[in-house]
Amino acid sequence: MSTIVETNSEDGLSSFRDFCAKLEKWIALVVEIPGAIFLGLEVVVLFAGVAFRYALHSPLVWSDELATILFLWLSMFGAVVAQHKGGHMHLTVVVGLAPKRWQSRINTLASMCVILFLGLLVPPALEHAEGQMMITTPALQLPDTVRSAAMFVGLTLMMIVAILQLVQKVKISDLIFGAVVIAVCGVLLTVFLPQLEEMENFNLIIFFGIGLAALVFGGAPIAVAFGLATVVYLKFMTYMPMVIVISRMDEGMSGFVLLSIPLFVLLGLLIEVTGLAAALVNVLAALVAHFKGGLSYVLVGAMYLVSGISGSKAADMAAIAPVLLPEMQKRGKEPGELIGLLSSSAAMGETIPPSIVLITVGSVTGVSIAALFTGGLIPAALGAIGLLIVAYFRSRDEDVTEAKRASRKQIVLALLNALPAFLLLAVIRVAVVAGIATATEVATVGIVYTLLVSILLYRKFPAARMWKMLCNSLALSGAIMIILGTATAMAWALTQSGFSHQLAAMMEQMPGGAAGYMALSIVVFAILGSVLEGIPAVVVFAPLLFPIALELGIGGVHYAIMMVLSMSLGLFVPPLGIGFYQACAIGGIEPDKAMKAIWPYMFAILVSVIIVACVPWVTEPYF
């Protein structure tokens, strides 16, 4: 009898979990459809604004406002889709080292932290939306709630999806473990609250040092780690209402310059599927592939050309690797060597415009994005030269007996085929650097141009893949924007605590002046890059450290480029660098095989970072 009862119980639980899985997919689909449509409308609205402004000289005064409204909705819907697909950025390396039984417990605890964070924010998100009812948008004369309600809807749906995901995979014992850990943390904070208050700003170590580190290394999404640490700090240590967190998140996700992020993400995917990326690779291969190490040179050159457009290092690598890696293996390249070169070339390209990280730097520090785009080209070129030198010495034994030299006709045909792609890259970089158009306008024009080229010239319009591209762009954009939102809230909390002034005072007393500060910054941002990736680290720490650099006489562009290069170095350095494991996954190679081979290439990137730090001219060239 007991066996029958247990069987029925198991069947009932299995049926309930199946129901939760179907409900989750249904919610994701309901969100994904309007989100992808909003992204498409964003392109149409912004392109219409560009066309009327520059071609017809009759600006649409409402286009930017409507684009801003659509942007917040697609960002929040994208965050929901990313939650469904597991697309939120998180660190899994440390959890992966734990025994399997503990991995399950830690992952459950991380999922419960996600639900806790979202649950704490849903009520203030509703309050924020209601409060914005009194504000009217200037052009469309709509209550701002039409825009700000996206925060409430998105966070609520994210919480529902997170709960459904937890129900599908959770074990009761793991759930109890997670509940006990969260309860114990709450009790400890309550009991020791007087001591924490007496510590003054040293209590930041508890919340943003130990607490944040535990969340990140425990596998919680980075956005949740930032947000939960901020919410808990404000709830226990201040009298600030939680609606201030939503307000700061709204501010961090609503900057007009940030509209370019989903557009460049979509543009990067379009360049890949329409064949423009392959055309660039083919022309480089036609020129140098027959030399020893030729394909290594092609890989570095291709990454220099396409890097930064997609908004994702993984997408950049995925656009290049499938074209080159199989042929490189045929020539006798060790698998680890390929990943080392792929990782380091991706790290090299982080400052090449239109880099999403540089756009983010400009939005949080006020440094000119055009100046950042100009300043990033020579430092990336230095890194590329270093990689080419290493590749030359490590390719001397390469077998190229079967490699055929391309004829002049083949080279000319390859150049002609790649001409539209070269023109696109030139327009993107020249237009923004010269200040002819904003990054958002250039991205919009780039999308329309790429679609026209694929239809009219390449006759390769990816109609069947367009919907998938929109959905992938939506999810990646949502994952990026939710990090920007929570990181902005965290940076605000740190600033309000007075930490920034204390940090400035401490850094100014360090020996070595500007040189010592630059050296320390390289180490700090390399460590941050390995754990947090570029965008989260930029949003939190750039506003704190930039004023110090300026006070010490370091140029804003110079410091920004050094900072981004240092973070990209950390992003791809094992054992913590997330980018390194992405490269291994794309190349289908075990990390252990690539671990040894990556160091010479990363040393070349480190040398380029040191040169950039020592020679300001390379970031602000004058001729």
Side-chain angles (χ1 to χ4, degrees), residues 348-585:
M348 165 272 299
E350 195 71 274
T351 63
I352 298 173
S355 165
I356 301 298
V357 177
L358 290 182
I359 293 172
T360 306
V361 171
S363 71
V364 299
T365 64
V367 178
S368 165
I369 293 177
L372 290 172
F373 280 10
T374 303
L377 290 171
I378 295 179
L382 288 174
I385 291 170
L387 294 179
L388 293 176
I389 293 172
V390 175
Y392 169 79
F393 284 104
R394 295 178 73 87
S395 301
R396 287 177 295 179
D397 297 327
E398 187 176 298
D399 182 12
V400 293
T401 53
E402 297 183 6
K404 295 182 180 179
R405 182 169 187 165
S407 65
R408 288 186 178 179
K409 181 179 180 180
Q410 289 174 322
I411 293 174
V412 171
L413 289 175
L415 282 170
L416 290 175
N417 192 49
L419 190 59
F422 280 115
L423 182 59
L424 171 64
L425 298 179
V427 167
I428 288 174
R429 282 155 189 168
V430 171
V432 178
V433 168
I436 299 172
T438 66
T440 302
E441 292 169 343
V442 169
T444 307
V445 173
I447 290 172
V448 175
Y449 171 87
T450 304
L451 289 173
L452 290 176
V453 166
S454 66
I455 295 170
L456 301 178
L457 293 181
Y458 290 162
R459 306 293 175 90
K460 192 180 179 182
F461 179 63
R465 299 180 64 179
M466 277 302 296
W467 182 254
K468 185 177 180 181
M469 276 192 297
L470 285 171
C471 294
N472 289 341
S473 301
L474 177 71
L476 180 55
S477 301
I480 292 173
M481 296 311 302
I482 199 72
I483 286 178
L484 284 173
T486 56
T488 300
M490 178 177 163
W492 177 86
L494 288 171
T495 301
Q496 292 300 307
S497 70
F499 171 74
S500 57
H501 299 294
Q502 293 174 336
L503 178 66
M506 181 185 70
M507 298 288 275
E508 285 174 349
Q509 293 174 2
M510 288 192 57
Y517 183 72
M518 287 289 277
L520 177 62
S521 296
I522 291 174
V523 175
V524 168
F525 280 110
I527 294 172
L528 292 173
S530 68
V531 178
L532 300 179
E533 297 194 55
I535 290 175
V538 163
V539 177
V540 174
F541 292 98
L544 300 177
L545 300 182
F546 254 74
I548 304 171
L550 297 177
E551 287 182 15
L552 292 172
I554 302 171
V557 175
H558 182 207
Y559 190 74
I561 298 300
M562 180 282 303
M563 175 183 70
V564 172
L565 282 175
S566 300
M567 286 189 297
S568 65
L569 181 67
L571 178 61
F572 286 92
V573 170
L576 292 179
I578 298 171
F580 169 74
Y581 296 99
Q582 290 176 335
C584 291

Side-chain angles (χ1 to χ4, degrees), residues 2 4 15 26 144 152 186 208 221 261 267 275 368 372 478 572:
S2 61
I4 295 174
S15 298
W26 183 82
D144 193 56
F152 170 69
F208 297 107
I261 290 178
L267 177 58
S368 165
L372 290 172
F572 286 92

Side-chain angles (χ1 to χ4, degrees), residues 238-410:
T238 73
Y239 296 100
M240 295 285 185
M242 286 300 101
V243 71
I244 197 71
V245 177
I246 297 297
S247 177
R248 296 301 97 189
M249 288 179 62
D250 189 348
E251 179 184 324
M253 299 171 67
S254 299
F256 187 77
V257 68
L258 299 176
L259 267 68
S260 61
I261 290 178
L263 301 180
F264 276 123
V265 170
L266 179 59
L267 177 58
L269 294 175
L270 275 173
I271 287 174
E272 178 188 350
V273 302
T274 54
L276 267 70
L280 292 170
V281 173
N282 289 337
V283 72
L284 293 174
L287 292 170
V288 300
H290 56 283
F291 294 117
K292 287 186 177 182
L295 291 179
S296 298
Y297 308 152
V298 172
L299 191 152
V300 175
M303 287 298 294
Y304 191 94
L305 290 173
V306 306
S307 185
I309 295 177
S310 71
S312 165
K313 289 289 100 180
D316 292 342
M317 292 186 289
I320 302 301
V323 183
L324 292 175
L325 294 193
E327 183 61 30
M328 293 174 78
Q329 285 183 306
K330 287 182 183 178
R331 295 192 181 188
K333 281 282 188 184
E334 293 293 328
E337 190 79 13
L338 302 179
I339 298 304
L341 183 59
L342 182 65
S343 299
S344 55
S345 60
M348 165 272 299
E350 195 71 274
T351 63
I352 298 173
S355 165
I356 301 298
V357 177
L358 290 182
I359 293 172
T360 306
V361 171
S363 71
V364 299
T365 64
V367 178
S368 165
I369 293 177
L372 290 172
F373 280 10
T374 303
L377 290 171
I378 295 179
L382 288 174
I385 291 170
L387 294 179
L388 293 176
I389 293 172
V390 175
Y392 169 79
F393 284 104
R394 295 178 73 87
S395 301
R396 287 177 295 179
D397 297 327
E398 187 176 298
D399 182 12
V400 293
T401 53
E402 297 183 6
K404 295 182 180 179
R405 182 169 187 165
S407 65
R408 288 186 178 179
K409 181 179 180 180
Q410 289 174 322

Side-chain angles (χ1 to χ4, degrees), residues 99-129:
K100 287 190 176 181
R101 184 178 64 178
W102 278 97
Q103 287 183 28
S104 174
R105 291 176 178 175
I106 295 171
N107 288 331
T108 298
L109 176 59
S111 298
M112 294 176 72
C113 288
V114 172
I115 296 169
L116 175 63
F117 166 66
L118 296 171
L120 289 170
L121 285 193
V122 167
L126 177 59
E127 182 183 348
H128 175 69

